[in-house]
Amino acid sequence: MNTYDFVIVGGGSAGCVLANRLSASGKWQVLLLEAGPADSNPFIKIPNGVIPLIRSDALNWKFWTTPQKACGGRPMFWPRGRTLGGSSAINAMCYIRGHAWDYDHWASLGNDGWSYRDVLPYFRKMENFEAIDKLPGAAEFHGRGGPLNVAEHRYVNPLMTAFVDAAQQAGHKKTDDFNGAQQEGVGYFHVMQKDGERCSNAHGFLAPALGRPNLKVITGAQAARVLFEGKCAAGVRYLHNGRYAEALARREVILSAGAIGSPHLLLLSGVGPRAQIEQHGIQPVHELPGVGENLQDHLDIHVTWEEKTRHAMSLHPASLWRSLKALFQYLFGRRGELTTNLAQAGGFLKSDAAQPIPDLQWHLVPFIYSDHGQNLTPLFKYYAFTLMTCFLRPESRGNVRLASADPLARPLIDANYLATPRDMEALVQGFKQARKVLEQPAFAPHRLLEHPQARRNRLPPGRHLQDGPRCDGGGRRAPACAWPRQPARGRCLDHADPGRRQHQCADHHDCRACGGPDPAGCGPRGGRARLCGRAGNRRCDGGEISKHVSFRGMAAPRRGPVVVPARCLRFGGGEDAAGQRTDRGYGSPPPGELQQRRAADAALPAGRQQCGVGLGAHP
Ligand SMILES: Cc1cc2nc3c(=O)[nH]c(=O)nc-3n(C[C@H](O)[C@H](O)[C@H](O)COP(=O)(O)OP(=O)(O)OC[C@H]3O[C@@H](n4cnc5c(N)ncnc54)[C@H](O)[C@@H]3O)c2cc1C
């Protein structure tokens, strides 16, 4: 049995930051448990290695959702990183924090300390923004010298340039910095890379801390449940090398297992909706109805064009020479196509002019993105590019539920995409705008045909899907999930298209699912990510984000896996908001408080106790 001050579950984007900050002072013993292996696979470092990582069984949880009603009953593929660095080790590296409005909105919902003014210092502190002296006004929004390196592209695919030009021809503004004064517009993403290699959170935050004697990292250690003394989290039971082991926490157990892993672990531990827990024979520890609820994700819809200049990435035999050149350039100088994150350009736009801020995002990728990257066959046949549109503030809410009490069994993930007419309508508007951009003159040299396979009508969209009278014929607004109950009869984009096969995929930006500061009372309190009703336990990852916003997952609090821990623990280790050092900077109880709480609790009548009742049953 091992005892530490802090036990962190999940060595992903958030867990790496936590491990660094909590071990920085040297005062506390910290244990980091990561289910996956160490991050030594070379594809993690190579930015272009995203596709093999998406397909990796070892480094990716490769979740699937339950069949999605509004998407033709298709289950959606949900990649999630399973290694040190977590999803930051397999993601697309786009550095997008979100719109200032998003944070101010969170604050207005009762999340004290989450306004843009509050979080900006943490963003600046964590960054080393390479373009800070190049972009006018960048110093107001960016930092230098921080552990997360943010770079410009070393190579830009000509298709990306065509996109940025075409979008301007279609009337969109250009922006040089999506995280600066103006998010709206089109441009090139900045990327979390250093010297042509991925800068995952394991690289940026964990690696510098690995030599500290007070930090222990165990990989291949999958937490099976949180151990409780009554309602106080006291440690973690985990599976390592085929055997169960336990680690106890003197101060706190911190769950950073991601928006799926953390609620799953809470449910396995008896924290969540009582009926669901009991249904699987797990002894309830604390009834918290919000656990597993409120899951949110971005859904992408694609327009794909076959391309004639052959700048697209392809596995076509004709691209062999180009691939060898790219390999050579990368190996001898970290330059060329292998340094690209695939989604190099994109933009933020409004689904309609009345929106106060952009609510749609574009990413252009220089290939056919088929079946969530699972189906590579079209890559052998075609040179093509895909413009992906996602709606940034979905109203639809899904959930994560237990499939079984077996900690190794996958949870049931229901994203519940397109459950509201607004989500559908916004995506359709984005789709139409995307198509308009691709039809501009700047794309003329590249364009050949909207989706190559549309010729055989196998994979819509194709030109046969156009604006027109509503497919239900009566001018009524058809329900979002019209497909497949009411398959497209005509040539109408409005509601047939988004529900059809192959055009949508999850955008891998899941968040929440552990509640939030809501009356159901599951989540973070006072901006410090404590789970109410339980001492000594805290959530700190993408699941902590209270409401989906206009960013991707990693840099922003989708997305807060970096800023959530930074904000909850006061980034900088033991500093208060004013930057003064303080022993309570980590938000943990002061020495002795937990013991006092346990003693006080023991004096309470049975049934009212919250702590000190002994460890719960272990699996
Ligand atoms: C393919 C893809 C592309 C993306 N592109 C971008 C992008 O371009 N820009 C961006 O900002 N965001 C992007 N994201 C989203 C972003 O990477 C995530 O939102 C973010 O990394 C989530 O951080 P997290 O700390 O919440 O979870 P994660 O980083 O996923 O970390 C969770 C960790 O917990 C571990 N774990 C889970 N369960 C257990 C357990 N029981 N015991 C022990 N360990 C456990 C996991 O193995 C993992 O390492 C992308 C995500 C994916 C999957």
Side-chain angles (χ1 to χ4, degrees):
M1 191 84 76
N2 293 312
T3 304
Y4 302 82
D5 292 297
F6 294 94
V7 176
I8 304 167
V9 177
S13 305
C16 289
V17 182
L18 290 161
N20 180 320
R21 302 316 310 153
L22 288 170
S23 62
S25 71
K27 269 189 355 194
W28 290 313
Q29 298 296 315
V30 178
L31 173 67
L32 177 66
L33 298 172
E34 167 52 43
D39 59 337
S40 51
N41 188 307
F43 284 119
I44 294 176
K45 287 254 176 275
I46 304 171
N48 221 244
V50 171
I51 294 284
L53 294 172
I54 293 277
R55 298 167 60 82
S56 165
D57 289 328
L59 305 173
N60 190 338
W61 289 90
K62 293 173 101 173
F63 291 119
W64 286 87
T65 67
T66 54
Q68 294 299 293
K69 268 195 301 217
C71 302
R74 269 190 310 147
M76 296 281 186
F77 180 59
W78 269 33
R80 294 274 95 195
R82 188 175 173 275
T83 178
L84 289 176
S87 299
S88 76
I90 68 162
N91 71 13
M93 291 158 274
C94 299
Y95 182 65
I96 299 292
R97 300 167 175 175
H99 198 284
W101 181 92
D102 292 315
Y103 299 98
D104 293 340
H105 181 57
W106 285 5
S108 74
L109 294 176
N111 298 284
D112 292 342
W114 281 98
S115 73
Y116 187 63
R117 230 179 99 211
D118 291 324
V119 297
L120 184 59
Y122 300 107
F123 278 124
R124 295 181 65 210
K125 195 162 186 174
M126 76 183 187
E127 274 181 16
N128 183 45
F129 187 61
E130 290 185 2
I132 195 163
D133 295 323
K134 185 174 152 191
L135 296 178
E140 191 186 336
F141 299 96
H142 294 281
R144 64 177 104 224
L148 185 71
N149 204 76
V150 179
E152 294 186 301
H153 298 291
R154 295 182 151 215
Y155 164 89
V156 176
N157 187 308
L159 291 169
M160 303 294 153
T161 316
F163 166 77
V164 174
D165 293 344
Q168 290 176 84
Q169 288 168 349
H172 296 272
K173 292 179 272 196
K174 169 128 191 311
T175 182
D176 291 328
D177 182 4
F178 292 118
N179 304 301
Q182 175 200 322
Q183 185 198 53
E184 186 170 4
V186 293
Y188 304 97
F189 295 116
H190 291 110
V191 283
M192 294 172 276
Q193 291 180 8
K194 180 152 175 53
D195 301 329
E197 296 183 351
R198 175 193 295 274
C199 179
S200 72
N201 280 17
H203 179 92
F205 293 89
L206 187 62
L210 281 179
R212 295 176 189 159
N214 59 328
L215 172 64
K216 183 167 177 181
V217 178
I218 309 182
T219 53
Q222 181 163 341
R225 66 167 295 165
V226 178
L227 305 173
F228 285 94
E229 286 182 15
K231 292 196 175 186
C232 296
V236 174
R237 185 168 165 85
Y238 62 96
L239 191 60
H240 186 232
N241 291 334
R243 305 179 64 161
Y244 280 105
E246 288 180 3
L248 295 186
R250 276 185 290 265
R251 299 175 80 93
E252 290 191 15
V253 172
I254 304 180
L255 302 191
S256 301
I260 304 301
S262 290
H264 186 211
L265 190 56
L266 284 173
L267 294 168
L268 288 169
S269 309
V271 178
R274 176 178 284 269
Q276 188 190 152
I277 290 168
E278 286 180 339
Q279 179 196 343
H280 292 283
I282 298 170
Q283 192 177 340
V285 170
H286 183 66
E287 182 160 18
L288 218 44
V291 172
E293 298 303 317
N294 266 319
L295 181 67
Q296 300 164 45
D297 191 26
H298 293 152
L299 182 73
D300 266 325
I301 182 160
H302 301 171
V303 190
T304 302
W305 279 82
E306 192 171 357
E307 182 276 303
K308 59 188 173 196
T309 45
R310 299 202 161 184
H311 288 300
M313 286 173 49
S314 169
L315 297 173
H316 193 282
S319 57
L320 183 64
W321 169 241
R322 182 171 140 201
S323 305
L324 288 174
K325 182 178 158 205
L327 185 63
F328 186 83
Q329 285 180 314
Y330 189 77
L331 290 177
F332 300 99
R334 296 290 188 265
R335 304 248 149 226
E337 277 190 86
L338 293 189
T339 64
T340 71
N341 66 326
L342 306 177
Q344 291 190 285
F348 290 86
L349 60 151
K350 295 174 181 171
S351 59
D352 67 77
Q355 295 299 321
I357 54 163
D359 57 353
L360 295 167
Q361 185 180 3
W362 278 329
H363 303 90
L364 184 77
V365 293
F367 53 86
I368 297 185
Y369 193 60
S370 178
D371 203 8
H372 314 86
Q374 295 291 288
N375 177 13
L376 296 187
T377 313
L379 280 174
F380 284 94
K381 290 189 187 165
Y382 300 109
Y383 289 86
F385 54 89
T386 304
L387 184 53
M388 304 155 88
T389 306
C390 75
F391 179 42
L392 294 165
R393 295 182 187 78
E395 294 173 350
S396 306
R397 298 289 181 267
N399 54 58
V400 178
R401 301 254 156 94
L402 283 174
S404 137
D406 176 359
L408 297 183
R410 301 300 174 106
L412 301 173
I413 303 169
D414 182 4
N416 198 22
Y417 291 120
L418 300 177
T420 73
R422 169 72 188 135
D423 288 1
M424 176 73 93
E425 189 59 37
L427 260 192
V428 169
Q429 292 312 320
F431 180 90
K432 289 178 182 173
Q433 294 198 52
R435 194 177 242 179
K436 188 173 161 202
V437 166
L438 297 184
E439 286 167 357
Q440 296 303 312
F443 261 116
H446 304 281
R447 221 168 34 218
L448 199 57
L449 194 68
E450 185 170 328
H451 202 298
Q453 297 189 14
R455 274 177 289 205
R456 284 162 296 214
N457 272 343
R458 282 220 314 261
L459 291 178
R463 298 312 305 169
H464 61 295
L465 279 172
Q466 290 294 332
D467 259 343
R470 301 254 174 197
C471 302
D472 60 6
R476 279 180 295 119
R477 170 128 194 96
C481 57
W483 177 266
R485 281 188 284 119
Q486 187 184 28
R489 289 196 294 271
R491 309 231 174 271
C492 166
L493 274 177
D494 286 39
H495 58 265
D497 197 41
R500 295 186 72 170
R501 287 188 71 243
Q502 297 295 347
H503 287 290
Q504 298 154 322
C505 68
D507 203 14
H508 325 316
H509 299 163
D510 40 294
C511 76
R512 201 121 185 254
C514 252
D518 50 41
C522 162
R525 293 280 156 163
R528 306 298 286 267
R530 287 236 174 81
L531 288 167
C532 69
R534 289 170 310 128
N537 199 178
R538 193 185 290 265
R539 272 298 308 283
C540 233
D541 54 27
E544 184 65 18
I545 291 157
S546 61
K547 199 163 180 189
H548 231 318
V549 300
S550 59
F551 44 62
R552 304 183 63 79
M554 185 187 142
R558 170 187 163 277
R559 292 166 161 275
V562 176
V563 170
V564 165
R567 169 67 185 77
C568 297
L569 303 182
R570 302 294 193 211
F571 191 77
E575 291 177 359
D576 63 19
Q580 300 297 311
R581 285 202 70 78
T582 151
D583 281 348
R584 298 199 57 189
Y586 295 122
S588 56
E593 188 184 301
L594 205 55
Q595 287 80 353
Q596 282 169 22
R597 270 193 230 153
R598 284 178 180 144
D601 219 40
L604 289 172
R608 293 195 50 214
Q609 291 172 337
Q610 293 203 323
C611 302
V613 192
L615 293 180
H618 304 176

